[in-house]
Amino acid sequence: MTDTHCPYCALQCGMRVTAVPGPTGPPEVTVAPREFPTNNGGLCGKGWSAADLLAHPDRLTAPLVRAVPGDRTSAFVPTDWDTALDLVADGIRATQAAHGRDGVAVFGGGGLTNEKAYALGKFARVALRTAQIDYNGRFCMSSAAGATRQTLGVDRGLPFPLPDLQHAGVVLLLGSNVAETMPPFVSHLNALKAAGGTLVVVDPRRTATAALADVHVQPLPGGDLAVLLGVLHVVFRDGLADADYLAARVDGVDGVRAAVRRYWPERVERMSGVPAREIVRLANLLARHRPAAGGRGTVVLTGRGSEQHAKGTDTVIAAIDLALALGLPGRPHSGYGCITGQGNGQGGREHGLKADQLPGYRAITDPVARAHVAGVWGVDADSLPGAGLSAYEQLAALGTPGGPRALLVAGSNPVVSAPNADLVTQRLRSLDLLVVTDLFLSETAALADAVLPTTMWAEETGTMTNLEGRVVLRRAAVAAPSGVRSDLEVLSGLADRLGAGVDFPADAFVTDAEAVFDELRKASGGGAADYGHITHASAGDGGTFWGSPRMFTDAFPTPDGRAAMKVVHHRDVVEDVDDDFPWLLTTGRVLAQYQSGTQTRRTRALHDAAPRAFVEVHPVLAEAHGIGDGDLVTLTSRHGTATAPARLSVDIRPDTVFMPFHYAGTERANSLTSPALDPTSRMPEFKACAVRLTRSQEVAP
């Protein structure tokens, strides 16, 4: 038996893996939950079925290359590792010789361990010397990261342990459906309610999480910012702010107080669709439980529903402004937090997967940061590239004049997960070289020149950083199939072929995870996300927080120790409704699927529970279009179309439709979504775009 952690979301639930040797084949592997602070001894269906994929018949167990090199219409054929790595290295060299260092780009995944994320960022900047590296975590909590750095001085998902929620008086949850995306989270909300606390959910749909709430606020998609500004207006107008806290700990208060005067509740009702009386009631509810009023505590949390907008950073700033006005951050059982989605979305950006960051959350433009990291890596600081393109901008530039001509994808499936996915697919097809490392032949891998099979969660050791900033250790429980290598081995093999000992030290890319982590500790030391005190040993069992488990109790990590309120203003959805596209689409997840579905759509129990996409439509809207439950409907946006069966529900607004984004082909929701970007975070506007709705002439199977 091996104590480890679930391979899926950012809860990183405690899990115990049992492997029993098989009589002839691979071992029989089962999983069970174990007590851990985030999951309280629970697992969701994804966790319970995680071991089913280890010996799945679709599992890749040998490198694949094209039968006719360079011809992606030819079939894949298995080959040996030396041949595959030689082909990839030769392609990289040829591309960079013709198009420069930035002719090759790297696209990482938020599920990679800290060690792999660190090594991939180092590989891009030292072996490839390309600026073009980003990752799908850009689509996760980058808006929250941009907001917290401006206001609180540091980016960490939750600046307090998750169990603290149980002791609050009220929790405000904006744009997050944790009951389906991370079900063990609900144990903390249930404990909150059992102790007499109040749960408030802000969501355009009556999700499974909203159904648990004491109060459900149902704005238009993109209306969260207006709602928050309206609540803040009431807080200042009615004397509900914590004046002593603001005077002692916060700058920028007067500017924000003046700015929100224009967001009186009746005006916000017209902007957001939320009745003015609900905005007033919400302000008073949050203020009643603030510590300064003698309450048990107030917590404000945001998720992707609020953040995946072209104004996502401003929405989170408004949430933090509200938390600061009420005197919450640093107080017991209070504060602001972001609910990280991907398993290592936090650690990935902390250690080098984002285009503008070096390990330790250092800015790649900072000369001191560059010198420190270059010293750890044994290279000249001047050889390190600068900042590259953000995730969507990188994908949209592929194959264009001046854009990357080759791409290495590690643990991501942008054909399904990227916005404006029809264009992204075209751009991937236009490349001179596409290389994918993955567990299965994903939709993105199916377009590649070479596919390199990598180890799964139970076959490798490494650390993850969960939604609390708690670094945990995943332990290897079983041996990987022969023919499969870890990402660390893949990067080392490519580095050897690209000039180890010439452009960088010969031992720069080691394959032992603990040795990589020890180097990461040195590279991150002194940075905003300093892992210097953490080891593989200390990450075991209960894990170890970077920074204080409960931040901001005495000061904020800013030059003067004070937080900063920022003025933000509501603005409409970028691709708003008109006569041609009269309805708003929002997207999200379902209980039985995860991200692009590369793994969960292959798990029998999960596939059977949610085998295909659907379009959730209010019965009033459906009747107006002659649509019945189960009829095939087609959504068309300014970017593409998607077709799926209708699911009639009063849980959604009559002016809004919903699709889950886990599916491919004609059911791909991201064929519809908007690539409009947040100016700070470069987050695409996944959660709101205008569509039209038509009943398909086909019959749903």
Side-chain angles (χ1 to χ4, degrees), residues 625-657:
H625 288 77
I627 293 169
D629 195 60
D631 288 349
L632 277 182
V633 296
T634 296
L635 297 181
T636 303
S637 75
R638 296 175 175 94
H639 303 285
T641 64
T643 300
R647 181 176 295 181
L648 274 56
S649 174
V650 296
D651 292 338
I652 193 164
R653 295 175 56 100
D655 49 15
T656 302
V657 295

PDB file of all heavy atoms in Angstrom, residues 625-657:
ATOM      1  N   HIS A 625     -38.298  28.125 -29.688  1.00  0.00           N
ATOM      2  CA  HIS A 625     -37.563  27.586 -30.838  1.00  0.00           C
ATOM      3  C   HIS A 625     -38.073  26.219 -31.276  1.00  0.00           C
ATOM      4  O   HIS A 625     -37.444  25.556 -32.108  1.00  0.00           O
ATOM      5  CB  HIS A 625     -36.070  27.491 -30.500  1.00  0.00           C
ATOM      6  CG  HIS A 625     -35.376  28.819 -30.421  1.00  0.00           C
ATOM      7  ND1 HIS A 625     -35.508  29.661 -29.349  1.00  0.00           N
ATOM      8  CD2 HIS A 625     -34.548  29.460 -31.305  1.00  0.00           C
ATOM      9  CE1 HIS A 625     -34.780  30.756 -29.553  1.00  0.00           C
ATOM     10  NE2 HIS A 625     -34.197  30.654 -30.732  1.00  0.00           N
ATOM     11  N   GLY A 626     -39.181  25.779 -30.690  1.00  0.00           N
ATOM     12  CA  GLY A 626     -39.729  24.474 -31.068  1.00  0.00           C
ATOM     13  C   GLY A 626     -38.838  23.316 -30.690  1.00  0.00           C
ATOM     14  O   GLY A 626     -38.779  22.305 -31.395  1.00  0.00           O
ATOM     15  N   ILE A 627     -38.136  23.427 -29.562  1.00  0.00           N
ATOM     16  CA  ILE A 627     -37.162  22.420 -29.140  1.00  0.00           C
ATOM     17  C   ILE A 627     -37.738  21.620 -27.980  1.00  0.00           C
ATOM     18  O   ILE A 627     -38.247  22.182 -27.001  1.00  0.00           O
ATOM     19  CB  ILE A 627     -35.845  23.093 -28.715  1.00  0.00           C
ATOM     20  CG1 ILE A 627     -35.166  23.745 -29.924  1.00  0.00           C
ATOM     21  CG2 ILE A 627     -34.897  22.085 -28.056  1.00  0.00           C
ATOM     22  CD1 ILE A 627     -34.019  24.653 -29.559  1.00  0.00           C
ATOM     23  N   GLY A 628     -37.660  20.315 -28.085  1.00  0.00           N
ATOM     24  CA  GLY A 628     -38.056  19.434 -27.007  1.00  0.00           C
ATOM     25  C   GLY A 628     -36.849  18.823 -26.322  1.00  0.00           C
ATOM     26  O   GLY A 628     -35.741  18.824 -26.870  1.00  0.00           O
ATOM     27  N   ASP A 629     -37.071  18.303 -25.136  1.00  0.00           N
ATOM     28  CA  ASP A 629     -35.979  17.683 -24.386  1.00  0.00           C
ATOM     29  C   ASP A 629     -35.387  16.531 -25.184  1.00  0.00           C
ATOM     30  O   ASP A 629     -36.118  15.639 -25.655  1.00  0.00           O
ATOM     31  CB  ASP A 629     -36.494  17.179 -23.039  1.00  0.00           C
ATOM     32  CG  ASP A 629     -35.375  16.850 -22.078  1.00  0.00           C
ATOM     33  OD1 ASP A 629     -34.598  17.759 -21.762  1.00  0.00           O
ATOM     34  OD2 ASP A 629     -35.283  15.680 -21.662  1.00  0.00           O
ATOM     35  N   GLY A 630     -34.083  16.525 -25.388  1.00  0.00           N
ATOM     36  CA  GLY A 630     -33.402  15.480 -26.142  1.00  0.00           C
ATOM     37  C   GLY A 630     -33.240  15.769 -27.617  1.00  0.00           C
ATOM     38  O   GLY A 630     -32.493  15.067 -28.310  1.00  0.00           O
ATOM     39  N   ASP A 631     -33.924  16.804 -28.130  1.00  0.00           N
ATOM     40  CA  ASP A 631     -33.737  17.168 -29.542  1.00  0.00           C
ATOM     41  C   ASP A 631     -32.310  17.660 -29.768  1.00  0.00           C
ATOM     42  O   ASP A 631     -31.727  18.336 -28.907  1.00  0.00           O
ATOM     43  CB  ASP A 631     -34.696  18.285 -29.945  1.00  0.00           C
ATOM     44  CG  ASP A 631     -36.132  17.838 -30.051  1.00  0.00           C
ATOM     45  OD1 ASP A 631     -36.372  16.612 -30.021  1.00  0.00           O
ATOM     46  OD2 ASP A 631     -37.016  18.714 -30.158  1.00  0.00           O
ATOM     47  N   LEU A 632     -31.776  17.353 -30.943  1.00  0.00           N
ATOM     48  CA  LEU A 632     -30.469  17.910 -31.292  1.00  0.00           C
ATOM     49  C   LEU A 632     -30.615  19.390 -31.601  1.00  0.00           C
ATOM     50  O   LEU A 632     -31.506  19.794 -32.355  1.00  0.00           O
ATOM     51  CB  LEU A 632     -29.875  17.196 -32.506  1.00  0.00           C
ATOM     52  CG  LEU A 632     -29.129  15.891 -32.279  1.00  0.00           C
ATOM     53  CD1 LEU A 632     -28.572  15.381 -33.600  1.00  0.00           C
ATOM     54  CD2 LEU A 632     -27.986  16.081 -31.284  1.00  0.00           C
ATOM     55  N   VAL A 633     -29.754  20.203 -30.995  1.00  0.00           N
ATOM     56  CA  VAL A 633     -29.753  21.631 -31.261  1.00  0.00           C
ATOM     57  C   VAL A 633     -28.348  22.059 -31.659  1.00  0.00           C
ATOM     58  O   VAL A 633     -27.353  21.462 -31.244  1.00  0.00           O
ATOM     59  CB  VAL A 633     -30.235  22.441 -30.039  1.00  0.00           C
ATOM     60  CG1 VAL A 633     -31.675  22.115 -29.714  1.00  0.00           C
ATOM     61  CG2 VAL A 633     -29.357  22.196 -28.827  1.00  0.00           C
ATOM     62  N   THR A 634     -28.300  23.083 -32.479  1.00  0.00           N
ATOM     63  CA  THR A 634     -27.022  23.635 -32.930  1.00  0.00           C
ATOM     64  C   THR A 634     -26.875  25.046 -32.390  1.00  0.00           C
ATOM     65  O   THR A 634     -27.781  25.874 -32.541  1.00  0.00           O
ATOM     66  CB  THR A 634     -26.933  23.645 -34.464  1.00  0.00           C
ATOM     67  OG1 THR A 634     -26.967  22.291 -34.942  1.00  0.00           O
ATOM     68  CG2 THR A 634     -25.640  24.300 -34.929  1.00  0.00           C
ATOM     69  N   LEU A 635     -25.752  25.298 -31.752  1.00  0.00           N
ATOM     70  CA  LEU A 635     -25.382  26.641 -31.334  1.00  0.00           C
ATOM     71  C   LEU A 635     -24.372  27.190 -32.334  1.00  0.00           C
ATOM     72  O   LEU A 635     -23.448  26.484 -32.747  1.00  0.00           O
ATOM     73  CB  LEU A 635     -24.764  26.629 -29.941  1.00  0.00           C
ATOM     74  CG  LEU A 635     -25.638  26.169 -28.779  1.00  0.00           C
ATOM     75  CD1 LEU A 635     -24.856  26.247 -27.471  1.00  0.00           C
ATOM     76  CD2 LEU A 635     -26.905  26.992 -28.685  1.00  0.00           C
ATOM     77  N   THR A 636     -24.551  28.442 -32.706  1.00  0.00           N
ATOM     78  CA  THR A 636     -23.625  29.105 -33.619  1.00  0.00           C
ATOM     79  C   THR A 636     -23.189  30.419 -32.988  1.00  0.00           C
ATOM     80  O   THR A 636     -24.026  31.224 -32.565  1.00  0.00           O
ATOM     81  CB  THR A 636     -24.295  29.393 -34.972  1.00  0.00           C
ATOM     82  OG1 THR A 636     -24.783  28.169 -35.532  1.00  0.00           O
ATOM     83  CG2 THR A 636     -23.309  30.027 -35.935  1.00  0.00           C
ATOM     84  N   SER A 637     -21.879  30.615 -32.912  1.00  0.00           N
ATOM     85  CA  SER A 637     -21.331  31.881 -32.424  1.00  0.00           C
ATOM     86  C   SER A 637     -20.607  32.570 -33.571  1.00  0.00           C
ATOM     87  O   SER A 637     -20.654  32.114 -34.720  1.00  0.00           O
ATOM     88  CB  SER A 637     -20.359  31.635 -31.268  1.00  0.00           C
ATOM     89  OG  SER A 637     -19.124  31.124 -31.752  1.00  0.00           O
ATOM     90  N   ARG A 638     -19.904  33.624 -33.262  1.00  0.00           N
ATOM     91  CA  ARG A 638     -19.135  34.319 -34.296  1.00  0.00           C
ATOM     92  C   ARG A 638     -17.886  33.542 -34.693  1.00  0.00           C
ATOM     93  O   ARG A 638     -17.157  33.962 -35.586  1.00  0.00           O
ATOM     94  CB  ARG A 638     -18.763  35.712 -33.791  1.00  0.00           C
ATOM     95  CG  ARG A 638     -19.985  36.613 -33.553  1.00  0.00           C
ATOM     96  CD  ARG A 638     -19.594  37.950 -32.927  1.00  0.00           C
ATOM     97  NE  ARG A 638     -20.729  38.864 -32.791  1.00  0.00           N
ATOM     98  CZ  ARG A 638     -21.476  38.986 -31.694  1.00  0.00           C
ATOM     99  NH1 ARG A 638     -21.197  38.244 -30.628  1.00  0.00           N
ATOM    100  NH2 ARG A 638     -22.482  39.839 -31.658  1.00  0.00           N
ATOM    101  N   HIS A 639     -17.632  32.389 -34.037  1.00  0.00           N
ATOM    102  CA  HIS A 639     -16.406  31.630 -34.284  1.00  0.00           C
ATOM    103  C   HIS A 639     -16.648  30.221 -34.813  1.00  0.00           C
ATOM    104  O   HIS A 639     -15.750  29.645 -35.438  1.00  0.00           O
ATOM    105  CB  HIS A 639     -15.592  31.545 -32.987  1.00  0.00           C
ATOM    106  CG  HIS A 639     -15.267  32.873 -32.417  1.00  0.00           C
ATOM    107  ND1 HIS A 639     -14.300  33.702 -32.943  1.00  0.00           N
ATOM    108  CD2 HIS A 639     -15.810  33.558 -31.375  1.00  0.00           C
ATOM    109  CE1 HIS A 639     -14.259  34.830 -32.261  1.00  0.00           C
ATOM    110  NE2 HIS A 639     -15.160  34.767 -31.305  1.00  0.00           N
ATOM    111  N   GLY A 640     -17.794  29.645 -34.553  1.00  0.00           N
ATOM    112  CA  GLY A 640     -18.012  28.275 -34.988  1.00  0.00           C
ATOM    113  C   GLY A 640     -19.363  27.759 -34.536  1.00  0.00           C
ATOM    114  O   GLY A 640     -20.226  28.521 -34.073  1.00  0.00           O
ATOM    115  N   THR A 641     -19.536  26.445 -34.666  1.00  0.00           N
ATOM    116  CA  THR A 641     -20.796  25.810 -34.292  1.00  0.00           C
ATOM    117  C   THR A 641     -20.522  24.571 -33.451  1.00  0.00           C
ATOM    118  O   THR A 641     -19.432  23.991 -33.483  1.00  0.00           O
ATOM    119  CB  THR A 641     -21.608  25.384 -35.530  1.00  0.00           C
ATOM    120  OG1 THR A 641     -20.866  24.385 -36.248  1.00  0.00           O
ATOM    121  CG2 THR A 641     -21.889  26.560 -36.441  1.00  0.00           C
ATOM    122  N   ALA A 642     -21.541  24.163 -32.705  1.00  0.00           N
ATOM    123  CA  ALA A 642     -21.510  22.915 -31.953  1.00  0.00           C
ATOM    124  C   ALA A 642     -22.932  22.385 -31.878  1.00  0.00           C
ATOM    125  O   ALA A 642     -23.894  23.160 -31.803  1.00  0.00           O
ATOM    126  CB  ALA A 642     -20.945  23.126 -30.549  1.00  0.00           C
ATOM    127  N   THR A 643     -23.060  21.068 -31.916  1.00  0.00           N
ATOM    128  CA  THR A 643     -24.375  20.423 -31.920  1.00  0.00           C
ATOM    129  C   THR A 643     -24.416  19.356 -30.844  1.00  0.00           C
ATOM    130  O   THR A 643     -23.504  18.537 -30.726  1.00  0.00           O
ATOM    131  CB  THR A 643     -24.669  19.789 -33.287  1.00  0.00           C
ATOM    132  OG1 THR A 643     -24.639  20.813 -34.294  1.00  0.00           O
ATOM    133  CG2 THR A 643     -26.033  19.111 -33.299  1.00  0.00           C
ATOM    134  N   ALA A 644     -25.487  19.358 -30.051  1.00  0.00           N
ATOM    135  CA  ALA A 644     -25.648  18.384 -28.974  1.00  0.00           C
ATOM    136  C   ALA A 644     -27.120  18.315 -28.592  1.00  0.00           C
ATOM    137  O   ALA A 644     -27.905  19.212 -28.927  1.00  0.00           O
ATOM    138  CB  ALA A 644     -24.794  18.769 -27.765  1.00  0.00           C
ATOM    139  N   PRO A 645     -27.528  17.270 -27.865  1.00  0.00           N
ATOM    140  CA  PRO A 645     -28.923  17.172 -27.445  1.00  0.00           C
ATOM    141  C   PRO A 645     -29.301  18.274 -26.454  1.00  0.00           C
ATOM    142  O   PRO A 645     -28.492  18.680 -25.611  1.00  0.00           O
ATOM    143  CB  PRO A 645     -28.992  15.796 -26.764  1.00  0.00           C
ATOM    144  CG  PRO A 645     -27.805  15.053 -27.266  1.00  0.00           C
ATOM    145  CD  PRO A 645     -26.752  16.073 -27.502  1.00  0.00           C
ATOM    146  N   ALA A 646     -30.537  18.736 -26.547  1.00  0.00           N
ATOM    147  CA  ALA A 646     -31.043  19.730 -25.605  1.00  0.00           C
ATOM    148  C   ALA A 646     -31.389  19.067 -24.280  1.00  0.00           C
ATOM    149  O   ALA A 646     -31.898  17.943 -24.240  1.00  0.00           O
ATOM    150  CB  ALA A 646     -32.277  20.418 -26.175  1.00  0.00           C
ATOM    151  N   ARG A 647     -31.100  19.772 -23.212  1.00  0.00           N
ATOM    152  CA  ARG A 647     -31.503  19.345 -21.876  1.00  0.00           C
ATOM    153  C   ARG A 647     -32.282  20.508 -21.262  1.00  0.00           C
ATOM    154  O   ARG A 647     -31.712  21.526 -20.888  1.00  0.00           O
ATOM    155  CB  ARG A 647     -30.295  18.981 -21.024  1.00  0.00           C
ATOM    156  CG  ARG A 647     -30.660  18.495 -19.621  1.00  0.00           C
ATOM    157  CD  ARG A 647     -29.429  18.062 -18.840  1.00  0.00           C
ATOM    158  NE  ARG A 647     -28.783  16.890 -19.430  1.00  0.00           N
ATOM    159  CZ  ARG A 647     -27.696  16.304 -18.922  1.00  0.00           C
ATOM    160  NH1 ARG A 647     -27.135  16.802 -17.818  1.00  0.00           N
ATOM    161  NH2 ARG A 647     -27.171  15.251 -19.513  1.00  0.00           N
ATOM    162  N   LEU A 648     -33.585  20.377 -21.192  1.00  0.00           N
ATOM    163  CA  LEU A 648     -34.434  21.453 -20.701  1.00  0.00           C
ATOM    164  C   LEU A 648     -34.368  21.524 -19.178  1.00  0.00           C
ATOM    165  O   LEU A 648     -34.457  20.498 -18.497  1.00  0.00           O
ATOM    166  CB  LEU A 648     -35.885  21.262 -21.150  1.00  0.00           C
ATOM    167  CG  LEU A 648     -36.237  21.835 -22.538  1.00  0.00           C
ATOM    168  CD1 LEU A 648     -35.335  21.274 -23.631  1.00  0.00           C
ATOM    169  CD2 LEU A 648     -37.698  21.585 -22.877  1.00  0.00           C
ATOM    170  N   SER A 649     -34.195  22.748 -18.667  1.00  0.00           N
ATOM    171  CA  SER A 649     -34.025  22.910 -17.227  1.00  0.00           C
ATOM    172  C   SER A 649     -34.422  24.316 -16.804  1.00  0.00           C
ATOM    173  O   SER A 649     -34.051  25.300 -17.461  1.00  0.00           O
ATOM    174  CB  SER A 649     -32.567  22.655 -16.830  1.00  0.00           C
ATOM    175  OG  SER A 649     -32.356  22.951 -15.464  1.00  0.00           O
ATOM    176  N   VAL A 650     -35.145  24.403 -15.697  1.00  0.00           N
ATOM    177  CA  VAL A 650     -35.473  25.710 -15.127  1.00  0.00           C
ATOM    178  C   VAL A 650     -34.316  26.239 -14.284  1.00  0.00           C
ATOM    179  O   VAL A 650     -34.422  27.322 -13.701  1.00  0.00           O
ATOM    180  CB  VAL A 650     -36.754  25.632 -14.271  1.00  0.00           C
ATOM    181  CG1 VAL A 650     -37.953  25.265 -15.128  1.00  0.00           C
ATOM    182  CG2 VAL A 650     -36.578  24.653 -13.113  1.00  0.00           C
ATOM    183  N   ASP A 651     -33.218  25.502 -14.212  1.00  0.00           N
ATOM    184  CA  ASP A 651     -32.067  25.916 -13.405  1.00  0.00           C
ATOM    185  C   ASP A 651     -31.181  26.933 -14.097  1.00  0.00           C
ATOM    186  O   ASP A 651     -30.201  27.393 -13.511  1.00  0.00           O
ATOM    187  CB  ASP A 651     -31.229  24.692 -13.021  1.00  0.00           C
ATOM    188  CG  ASP A 651     -31.949  23.771 -12.063  1.00  0.00           C
ATOM    189  OD1 ASP A 651     -32.878  24.245 -11.386  1.00  0.00           O
ATOM    190  OD2 ASP A 651     -31.594  22.580 -12.009  1.00  0.00           O
ATOM    191  N   ILE A 652     -31.512  27.277 -15.335  1.00  0.00           N
ATOM    192  CA  ILE A 652     -30.723  28.266 -16.063  1.00  0.00           C
ATOM    193  C   ILE A 652     -31.616  29.441 -16.425  1.00  0.00           C
ATOM    194  O   ILE A 652     -32.839  29.301 -16.547  1.00  0.00           O
ATOM    195  CB  ILE A 652     -30.084  27.642 -17.326  1.00  0.00           C
ATOM    196  CG1 ILE A 652     -29.009  28.565 -17.904  1.00  0.00           C
ATOM    197  CG2 ILE A 652     -31.145  27.289 -18.371  1.00  0.00           C
ATOM    198  CD1 ILE A 652     -28.093  27.878 -18.892  1.00  0.00           C
ATOM    199  N   ARG A 653     -31.019  30.592 -16.573  1.00  0.00           N
ATOM    200  CA  ARG A 653     -31.777  31.780 -16.961  1.00  0.00           C
ATOM    201  C   ARG A 653     -32.388  31.593 -18.351  1.00  0.00           C
ATOM    202  O   ARG A 653     -31.778  30.951 -19.223  1.00  0.00           O
ATOM    203  CB  ARG A 653     -30.864  33.007 -16.970  1.00  0.00           C
ATOM    204  CG  ARG A 653     -30.292  33.424 -15.631  1.00  0.00           C
ATOM    205  CD  ARG A 653     -29.320  34.583 -15.800  1.00  0.00           C
ATOM    206  NE  ARG A 653     -29.952  35.695 -16.477  1.00  0.00           N
ATOM    207  CZ  ARG A 653     -30.441  36.780 -15.865  1.00  0.00           C
ATOM    208  NH1 ARG A 653     -30.337  36.888 -14.545  1.00  0.00           N
ATOM    209  NH2 ARG A 653     -31.009  37.748 -16.557  1.00  0.00           N
ATOM    210  N   PRO A 654     -33.551  32.189 -18.625  1.00  0.00           N
ATOM    211  CA  PRO A 654     -34.176  32.044 -19.947  1.00  0.00           C
ATOM    212  C   PRO A 654     -33.405  32.716 -21.074  1.00  0.00           C
ATOM    213  O   PRO A 654     -33.663  32.432 -22.243  1.00  0.00           O
ATOM    214  CB  PRO A 654     -35.552  32.710 -19.757  1.00  0.00           C
ATOM    215  CG  PRO A 654     -35.809  32.675 -18.297  1.00  0.00           C
ATOM    216  CD  PRO A 654     -34.461  32.826 -17.652  1.00  0.00           C
ATOM    217  N   ASP A 655     -32.455  33.603 -20.734  1.00  0.00           N
ATOM    218  CA  ASP A 655     -31.677  34.298 -21.765  1.00  0.00           C
ATOM    219  C   ASP A 655     -30.284  33.704 -21.947  1.00  0.00           C
ATOM    220  O   ASP A 655     -29.442  34.277 -22.626  1.00  0.00           O
ATOM    221  CB  ASP A 655     -31.559  35.784 -21.427  1.00  0.00           C
ATOM    222  CG  ASP A 655     -31.104  36.033 -19.988  1.00  0.00           C
ATOM    223  OD1 ASP A 655     -30.616  35.080 -19.344  1.00  0.00           O
ATOM    224  OD2 ASP A 655     -31.245  37.174 -19.509  1.00  0.00           O
ATOM    225  N   THR A 656     -30.038  32.543 -21.334  1.00  0.00           N
ATOM    226  CA  THR A 656     -28.699  31.956 -21.302  1.00  0.00           C
ATOM    227  C   THR A 656     -28.769  30.473 -21.626  1.00  0.00           C
ATOM    228  O   THR A 656     -29.741  29.800 -21.263  1.00  0.00           O
ATOM    229  CB  THR A 656     -28.078  32.146 -19.897  1.00  0.00           C
ATOM    230  OG1 THR A 656     -28.035  33.540 -19.585  1.00  0.00           O
ATOM    231  CG2 THR A 656     -26.677  31.573 -19.814  1.00  0.00           C
ATOM    232  N   VAL A 657     -27.747  29.960 -22.316  1.00  0.00           N
ATOM    233  CA  VAL A 657     -27.611  28.524 -22.538  1.00  0.00           C
ATOM    234  C   VAL A 657     -26.252  28.079 -22.011  1.00  0.00           C
ATOM    235  O   VAL A 657     -25.337  28.889 -21.863  1.00  0.00           O
ATOM    236  CB  VAL A 657     -27.767  28.134 -24.030  1.00  0.00           C
ATOM    237  CG1 VAL A 657     -29.169  28.429 -24.522  1.00  0.00           C
ATOM    238  CG2 VAL A 657     -26.733  28.857 -24.893  1.00  0.00           C
TER     239      VAL A 657
END
